[in-house]
Amino acid sequence: MSIDCDGRTAAQCSRSTDGDAFAPETAVDQSDGRPFNAATTPYVVLPRPDNPTWSYRDAGISPGDVAAVIYNGHVEYAVFADVGPRQQIGEASYATAAALGIDPDPSNGGTRGDVTYVLFPHTRPNPVESHYQAVQRGRAAAALLVSR
């Protein structure tokens, strides 16, 4: 997992902590029209849909849908809130990494360990930035998946 700090500026995520990699916007806006805050909101980053290996659009995933991010026996539910380089997969926000016990430092954090991302189509929380709603929708989708 690589650390994504894009979105609203925070003490943990800014041009000074992330250098030129910092972008003040996310692909999905919160319900109030502002970008997500990577330091406080668990989200994942998927490659642009023109990725030659895997396209979220072809998989039926839409921006804002919920993902279960699994690392070292722990699950964190997050929303798909940003897109990244077409050749890279495996990014998540500072908040997602911190919740999973992964070093969230945007300049040298992350992990080379196994991280699993399970995305659930048609699970966008309302409002999209509500972590509580993301957890509820993610748990329901996961329960449905394992019951099949």
Side-chain angles (χ1 to χ4, degrees):
M1 172 190 288
S2 295
I3 307 305
D4 186 82
C5 250
D6 293 346
R8 292 201 319 259
T9 299
Q12 304 89 337
C13 293
S14 65
R15 180 98 37 221
S16 64
T17 62
D18 204 16
D20 290 339
F22 178 77
E25 65 277 334
T26 50
V28 176
D29 286 335
Q30 296 183 149
S31 59
D32 63 5
R34 298 185 304 165
F36 275 78
N37 182 335
T40 60
T41 307
Y43 71 73
V44 297
V45 180
L46 297 180
R48 293 189 332 243
D50 61 349
N51 182 301
T53 304
W54 182 79
S55 166
Y56 67 82
R57 286 186 185 148
D58 292 346
I61 304 297
S62 297
D65 282 342
V66 174
V69 185
I70 306 159
Y71 175 73
N72 203 20
H74 299 282
V75 176
E76 178 64 19
Y77 291 99
V79 296
F80 163 29
D82 206 5
V83 293
R86 66 184 284 254
Q87 73 279 6
Q88 182 176 340
I89 193 164
E91 277 187 272
S93 69
Y94 181 104
T96 305
L100 290 168
I102 295 170
D103 181 357
D105 186 295
S107 61
N108 60 16
T111 182
R112 292 186 183 275
D114 292 334
V115 179
T116 302
Y117 301 79
V118 180
L119 289 125
F120 302 107
H122 314 293
T123 55
R124 184 184 180 111
N126 186 17
V128 68
E129 68 274 8
S130 170
H131 186 243
Y132 175 81
Q133 287 296 319
V135 170
Q136 297 308 307
R137 291 183 185 247
R139 285 180 178 161
L144 182 62
L145 179 66
V146 298
S147 72
R148 292 184 176 174

